[in-house]
């Protein structure tokens, strides 16, 4: 049975965060593939964002190695009952209404990043130990940075659409 | 996340006292998951041969009807294609299948059979491979349907057009053959050019109203747990797998919160790697989100047509009957008046009256900050339950008055003097005609109740204050009441 996020040790929290980044990369590549014909511009946004997730993963792996040791294996998100960050489509009917474009793709990514940021932020005051609190806070800051970058990208896309 | 999305978190205490993992779902209120309740049903729909097995008998009947239409009697009530399709099928569809089984007709519909084969080159098995982002090998050109037509406007116009000439369609077998034959050819041609069920999504005139009225249905195919869908990395419901075809309708189950475009083909039940698709029994009128003007106009068209058919086929106005029945009477000027009135009411007068009600409601509520479009779309849902119940009320007398013809044509499907089951000579006798009004009136009131309730609930969701919500929804509720009373006058005098 899947464990609750709050039951994890600090070391496991980092491992699951890495697992989540890996899963998100896979999900975003699935979306890129899915919309390759329907909306090439959305597809390339999803691809770009998948690469960003790979970078997030690399940062977390480096941080893990700094604190603990070389990462043996990430903790798959499927072992956690909570949804920390799962990039998902915002609507069931994107294909039917042909309304998936770069902007919609970025909004979908932003929604997931916001969920992750809120999740870690809410976790900070509930942490049982100072060490755990520090890990949560660091992850929350990392997600806040992702949110900011996607927002910037969205604003640039808005200007591109308007111009 | 959509503003109107309703997410309910279910938590239950396990016998040990530990909380069970909660499940997020779009379904609210009481519900029953039928696959859990009836494992044999789950077994059945997960067989690869399921859809083939239910479509083929229907296809055979369909072709038998077409043959009867071509070679049988040209008199409508002596030909099985007219009686079975426009009386029996229509009655079953509108009074039972749509309200209680959503788009289950699409599960068994014979029209896309050849189109599906053109795309899949398989009747039962799945082909794995890679086609335009899908995990299935597909054939045909797999072109993308134009964005400008990615809505139901074509269906709206096609259905209104067909219904304008319905006097010919429902009385002349050969006209029915032409229309249905054309649809099957068009479905196959479009499947060869465009991806998935483009024909069903955007062109099929039947699919258009099924889409709208399926929102009222007590049956819904949904994700059992949205978190499982969110975590899913393959999205096999959308892109297919070695277990099932990619959703031919283009739906992603992880966010499906309304029935409109789900044709219940059950491919997602087969392809889901997490066994996370459930078939739910739920309260009627559960989906309430109208997404665009095309869907609102579909509701206006359906309500107008229910009124027009009731006037032409059940009403006491002989002159209107003559106008509509241009093929028999030949009064083209009268037909022009009838057709013009019908189109004007459906496309302009009713929407204009409704838009005025919305505008007045916003003023009465003092909430001009709420956008006219947002409130227009949201409140236009009131015509969905109302329209469906008006159609059901219209359809009861059809079967009660003409039901005995069904027995006749079963024995003599072509009107050639056969008597296969010794029912060909049964005399025409209406079934309890004196009770027609007693059935129609409660149906109309039920439609008005659901409509007014839906309008108020939407207004409350938008305003958050009961008194303000009442004012916002009041003009539309008055319009609903007025239309209901007009139907009542028409049906029961």
């Amino acid at each position: 049975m899947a464990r609750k996020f709050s039951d994890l040790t600090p070391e496991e929290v980092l491992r699951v965060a890495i697992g989540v980044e890996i899963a998100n990369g896979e999900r975003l590549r699935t979306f890129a593939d899915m919309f390759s014909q329907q909306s090439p511009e959305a597809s390339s946004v999803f691809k770009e964002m998948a690469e960003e997730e790979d970078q997030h993963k690399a940062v977390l792996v480096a941080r893990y190695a700094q604190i603990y040791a070389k990462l043996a294996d990430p903790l798959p998100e499927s072992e956690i009952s909570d949804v920390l960050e799962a990039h998902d489509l915002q609507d069931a009917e994107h294909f039917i209404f042909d309304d998936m474009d770069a902007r919609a793709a970025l909004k979908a990514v932003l929604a997931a990043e916001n969920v992750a940021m809120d999740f870690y932020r809410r976790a900070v005051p509930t942490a049982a130990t100072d060490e755990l609190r520090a890990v949560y806070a660091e992850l929350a800051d990392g997600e806040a940075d992702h949110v900011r970058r996607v927002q910037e990208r969205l604003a640039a896309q808005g200007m591109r659409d308007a111009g | 996340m959509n503003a109107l999305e309703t997410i309910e978190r279910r938590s239950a205490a396990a016998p040990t006292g530990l909380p069970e993992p909660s499940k997020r779902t779009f379904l609210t209120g009481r519900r029953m998951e039928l696959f859990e309740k009836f494992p044999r049903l789950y077994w059945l729909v997960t067989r690869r041969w399921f859809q083939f097995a239910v479509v083929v008998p229907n296809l055979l009947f369909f072709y038998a009807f077409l043959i009867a239409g071509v070679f049988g009697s040209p008199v409508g009530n002596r030909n099985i294609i007219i009686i079975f399709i426009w009386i029996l099928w229509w009655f079953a569809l509108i009074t039972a299948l749509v309200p209680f089984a959503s788009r289950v007709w699409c599960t068994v519909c014979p029209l896309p059979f050849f189109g599906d084969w053109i795309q899949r080159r398989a009747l039962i098995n799945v082909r794995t491979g890679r086609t335009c982002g899908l995990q299935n090998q597909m054939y045909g050109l797999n072109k993308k349907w134009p964005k400008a037509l990615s809505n139901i406007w074509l269906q709206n116009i096609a259905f209104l057009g067909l219904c304008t000439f319905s006097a010919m369609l429902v009385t002349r077998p050969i006209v029915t053959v032409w229309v249905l034959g054309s649809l099957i050819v068009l479905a196959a041609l479009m499947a060869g050019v465009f991806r998935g069920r483009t024909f069903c999504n955007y062109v099929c005139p039947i699919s258009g109203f099924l889409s709208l009225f399926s929102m009222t249905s007590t049956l819904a195919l949904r994700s059992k747990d949205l978190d499982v869908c969110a975590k899913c990395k393959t999205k096999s419901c959308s892109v297919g797998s070695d277990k099932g075809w990619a959703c031919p309708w283009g739906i992603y189950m992880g966010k499906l919160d309304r029935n409109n475009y789900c044709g219940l083909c059950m491919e997602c039940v087969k392809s889901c790697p997490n066994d996370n698709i459930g078939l739910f029994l739920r309260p009627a009128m559960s989906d309430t989100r109208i997404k665009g003007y095309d869907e609102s106009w579909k509701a206006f068209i359906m309500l107008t047509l229910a009124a027009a058919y009731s006037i032409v086929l059940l009403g006491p106005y002989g002159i209107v009957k003559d106008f509509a029945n241009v093929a028999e009477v030949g009064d083209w000027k009268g037909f022009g008046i009838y057709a013009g009135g019908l189109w004007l009411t459906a496309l302009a007068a009713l929407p204009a009256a409704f838009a005025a009600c919305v505008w007045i409601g916003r003023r009465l509520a003092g909430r001009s900050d709420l956008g006219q479009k947002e409130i227009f779309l949201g409140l236009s849902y009131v015509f969905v339950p109302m329209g469906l119940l008006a159609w059901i009320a219209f359809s009861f007398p059809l079967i009660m008055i003409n039901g005995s013809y069904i027995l006749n044509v079963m024995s003599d499907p072509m009107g050639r003097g056969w008597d296969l089951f010794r029912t060909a000579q049964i005399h025409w006798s209406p079934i309890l005609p004196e009770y027609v009004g007693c059935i129609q009136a409660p149906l109309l009131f039920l439609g008005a109740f659901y409509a007014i309730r839906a309008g108020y609930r939407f207004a409350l969701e938008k305003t958050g204050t009961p008194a303000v919500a009442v004012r916002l929804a009041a003009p539309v509720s008055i319009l609903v009441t007025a239309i209901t009373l007009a139907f009542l006058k028409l049906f029961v005098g």
Side-chain angles (χ1 to χ4, degrees):
Chain A
M1 191 173 160
R3 296 158 68 191
K4 285 183 76 70
F5 182 77
S6 53
D7 295 339
L8 303 181
T9 65
E11 186 266 346
E12 287 173 324
V13 166
L14 258 185
R15 275 171 60 208
V16 81
I18 293 165
V20 165
E21 300 295 346
I22 293 170
N24 276 325
E26 290 176 37
R27 269 189 282 271
L28 288 165
R29 285 189 179 88
T30 298
F31 294 144
D33 224 19
M34 212 163 141
F35 289 97
S36 57
Q37 185 207 29
Q38 186 85 1
S39 172
E41 57 162 358
S43 177
S44 61
V45 166
F46 283 130
K47 249 181 233 164
E48 251 177 72
M49 293 296 140
E51 282 159 22
E52 288 244 345
E53 293 298 310
D54 294 347
Q55 286 167 21
H56 302 167
K57 184 199 82 179
V59 169
L60 289 176
V61 168
R63 186 72 183 117
Y64 182 93
Q66 213 176 16
I67 305 174
Y68 304 104
K70 192 171 183 300
L71 179 68
D73 54 341
L75 198 57
E77 60 169 3
S78 55
E79 291 190 16
I80 308 300
S81 59
D82 314 66
V83 180
L84 278 62
E85 178 187 2
H87 287 282
D88 205 359
L89 301 177
Q90 298 297 288
D91 192 6
E93 296 162 350
H94 281 308
F95 277 109
I96 294 166
F97 295 106
D98 195 7
D99 57 2
M100 174 57 81
D101 53 17
R103 209 173 154 70
L106 283 166
K107 278 185 175 174
V109 172
L110 182 62
E113 299 291 355
N114 270 319
V115 167
M117 182 178 73
D118 290 347
F119 186 91
Y120 290 127
R121 278 184 178 166
R122 278 203 313 271
V124 173
T126 67
T129 64
D130 288 345
E131 189 191 359
L132 198 54
R133 192 170 302 120
V135 173
Y136 288 164
E138 197 173 321
L139 288 170
D141 288 347
E143 294 299 339
D145 185 49
H146 304 164
V147 166
R148 185 183 50 74
R149 285 163 64 176
V150 180
Q151 278 171 336
E152 282 170 6
R153 181 85 164 72
L154 199 51
Q157 184 66 40
M159 281 193 283
R160 206 172 303 156
D161 292 346
Chain B
M1 200 163 279
N2 299 313
L4 294 179
E5 213 169 75
T6 317
I7 294 180
E8 187 182 347
R9 188 166 277 278
R10 290 192 286 169
S11 291
T16 56
L18 295 169
E20 280 184 350
S22 57
K23 286 183 178 180
R24 287 194 311 127
T25 160
F26 282 118
L27 294 161
T28 57
R30 285 180 304 147
R31 59 193 175 267
M32 180 197 290
E33 210 284 88
L34 297 177
F35 291 153
E36 276 172 22
K37 186 86 179 166
F38 305 105
R40 283 184 184 181
L41 179 66
Y42 177 76
W43 177 88
L44 181 69
V45 305
T46 49
R47 296 312 92 190
R48 280 274 11 125
W49 45 259
F50 166 70
Q51 198 171 17
F52 179 76
V54 293
V55 169
V56 166
N58 212 18
L59 187 70
L60 295 175
F61 276 118
F62 185 75
Y63 278 97
F65 293 167
L66 290 184
I67 290 166
V70 174
F71 299 106
S73 168
V75 179
N77 62 16
R78 295 196 60 201
N79 196 308
I80 196 167
I81 194 170
I82 295 294
I83 301 299
F84 265 57
I85 291 183
W86 300 124
I87 294 178
L88 184 59
W89 171 77
W90 175 261
F91 179 78
L93 186 71
I94 208 75
T95 63
L97 295 184
V98 171
F100 301 112
S102 186
R103 300 190 64 160
V104 77
W105 171 255
C106 300
T107 314
V108 303
C109 178
L111 297 182
F113 179 83
F114 294 107
D116 280 353
W117 185 85
I118 288 168
Q119 289 181 342
R120 298 172 176 177
R121 291 199 196 160
L123 293 174
I124 293 172
N125 293 331
V126 188
R127 287 180 189 276
T128 50
R130 305 271 295 151
T131 313
C132 301
L134 306 181
Q135 299 296 321
N136 300 127
Q137 173 68 55
M138 307 295 291
Y139 296 91
L141 301 179
N142 282 293
K143 297 268 187 200
K144 185 185 151 187
W145 182 248
K147 185 180 171 73
L149 298 175
S150 296
N151 48 57
I152 62 168
W153 282 113
L154 271 181
Q155 290 173 326
N156 287 350
I157 301 304
F159 192 69
L160 192 52
L162 273 182
C163 291
T164 306
F165 292 93
S166 61
M168 267 190 269
L169 187 64
V170 303
T171 55
R172 297 187 173 198
I174 198 68
V175 178
T176 295
V177 170
W178 269 106
V179 170
L180 297 180
S182 305
L183 290 179
I184 209 163
V185 170
L186 188 60
L189 290 175
M190 286 185 68
V193 178
F194 300 103
R195 64 185 280 178
R197 291 283 187 93
T198 296
F199 168 79
C200 306
N201 272 338
Y202 309 111
V203 179
C204 175
I206 302 154
S207 175
F209 76 79
L210 290 181
S211 162
L212 186 82
F213 286 154
S214 67
M215 298 174 82
T216 65
S217 180
T218 53
L219 194 74
L221 197 69
R222 291 288 188 276
S223 160
K224 288 194 269 193
D225 185 344
L226 297 176
D227 286 349
V228 172
C229 289
K231 284 185 171 181
C232 174
K233 288 181 274 190
T234 59
K235 311 295 180 193
S236 302
C237 56
S238 269
V239 301
S241 72
D242 60 340
K243 301 278 193 303
W245 294 99
C247 176
W249 299 77
I251 284 172
Y252 166 51
M253 290 303 292
K255 292 284 177 180
L256 189 67
D257 63 350
R258 55 185 207 152
N259 279 355
N260 300 48
Y261 301 95
C262 172
L264 295 176
C265 65
M266 306 291 170
E267 286 300 326
C268 56
V269 184
K270 300 177 183 86
S271 61
C272 178
N274 304 304
D275 190 16
N276 193 40
I277 307 297
L279 186 65
F280 293 89
L281 206 57
R282 61 177 190 169
M285 320 291 164
S286 291
D287 300 341
T288 55
R289 190 160 63 96
I290 295 280
K291 259 191 174 178
Y293 286 129
D294 54 337
E295 293 174 357
S296 298
W297 254 260
K298 172 57 82 183
F300 300 138
I301 289 169
M302 292 310 294
L303 188 64
T304 306
L305 285 171
Y309 276 21
S310 302
I311 291 168
V312 171
L313 298 174
L314 307 177
Y317 315 105
I319 190 165
V320 186
K321 279 184 208 289
D322 288 346
F323 283 176
N325 197 5
V326 67
E328 298 289 330
V329 182
D331 180 1
W332 285 96
K333 191 179 163 196
F335 178 73
I337 293 169
Y338 164 74
L342 182 65
W343 283 62
L344 198 68
T345 307
L347 300 179
L350 181 58
F354 175 73
C357 289
V358 170
W359 187 84
I360 294 166
R362 286 169 57 233
R363 291 291 173 283
L364 285 177
R367 293 295 306 271
S368 47
D369 58 308
L370 297 171
Q372 173 80 5
K373 180 180 178 182
E374 182 189 8
I375 305 301
F376 184 99
L377 292 180
L379 284 178
S380 66
Y381 172 77
V382 301
F383 293 117
V384 178
M386 193 186 174
L388 177 71
L389 271 297
W391 270 102
I392 294 175
F394 160 76
S395 301
F396 263 97
L398 274 191
I399 199 92
M400 292 169 78
I401 305 301
N402 301 306
S404 58
Y405 290 132
I406 295 169
L407 299 173
N408 295 158
V409 297
M410 277 170 66
S411 277
D412 188 11
M414 313 249 278
R416 292 190 163 198
W418 302 350
D419 197 0
L420 300 174
F421 307 108
R422 299 185 182 281
T423 56
Q425 301 307 321
I426 290 176
H427 289 293
W428 172 76
S429 55
I431 307 158
L432 303 172
E434 64 274 24
Y435 291 107
V436 168
C438 302
I439 294 170
Q440 289 176 310
L443 288 169
L444 290 172
F445 286 129
L446 191 63
F449 162 74
Y450 278 127
I452 291 170
R453 187 184 70 168
Y456 171 72
R457 283 181 174 175
F458 171 77
L460 186 60
E461 188 184 301
K462 286 288 142 193
T463 62
T465 316
V468 180
V470 167
R471 290 200 292 274
L472 180 62
V476 170
S477 302
I478 291 169
L479 180 65
V480 165
T481 308
I483 296 172
T484 303
L485 292 176
F487 268 106
L488 207 60
K489 169 86 179 140
L490 189 65
F491 288 156
V492 294

